[in-house]
Amino acid sequence: MQDLLTHNPIIPVITLHREEDAVPLAQCLISAGFKTIEITLRTDYAATGIKLIRKQFPDLIIGAGTICSTRQVSQAEALGCDFMVSPGITPDLLKCAAESPIPLLPGISSASEIMLGLQLGYETFKFFPAESLGGIRTLKALFGPFREVRFCATGGITLNNMGDYLNLPNVLSVGGSWMVNPSLIKQQKWSDIEQLLKTALVAASAPINYQPTRA
Ligand code: 3PG
């Protein structure tokens, strides 16, 4: 999981509300330069969307997001996903995913949850919802007791704050939905989405020096 995050410092988190958006949206992501995406299993269109994208773009690395149950672990496996992301953890989910051929990025929101994850063999976590949990300050504090642990921060990440997250020693990657804005998807504004995606990717590759342009 650490390799995947290191090679993908920014991961778009996509929620599909219509089947017909799946392929054009994936095309935007690929044209913008993304190799890895997360599609949340939050809507009725997620499974069909993943199948369509998988068929059309077999090389795209697809994560199944919002994995909340062991049943969804089986669903992600059946859909041929490459990795899984959960918003939180349960002991059952962690144990089930540890036996899955697909790696899980488990969501945590506290030191105790990190300790439970470590006990079950996980060292890489999604820190969610990052901004609501104190963001940068909390991640800095967690670096004290958990020096070996690495995070993908998600929840409230934007173009303006992503660089600060990526500069932290314990953050390998950030995830977010802002560059796959639901209202732009609804309006099928593919070129606007592609532009947002490109801007995000440039920012992620130069987080230390990046200064967003403010209109
Ligand atoms: C999520 O699982 O909802 C993601 O972490 C995305 O969060 P965001 O919509 O705040 O970017």
Side-chain angles (χ1 to χ4, degrees), residues 1-12:
M1 185 51 76
Q2 292 202 1
D3 259 13
L4 185 134
L5 298 183
T6 304
H7 288 107
N8 297 279
I10 172 164
I11 300 178

Side-chain angles (χ1 to χ4, degrees), residues 11-15 38 40 42 65-66 85-87 126-131 152-158 175-180 182:
I11 300 178
V13 178
I14 295 153
T15 299
E38 176 188 331
T40 64
R42 264 178 228 183
T66 322
V85 185
S86 68
K126 158 169 161 150
F127 178 58
F128 176 79
E131 279 291 286
C152 173
T154 77
I157 309 301
T158 65
S177 62
W178 87 90
M179 68 292 211
V180 278

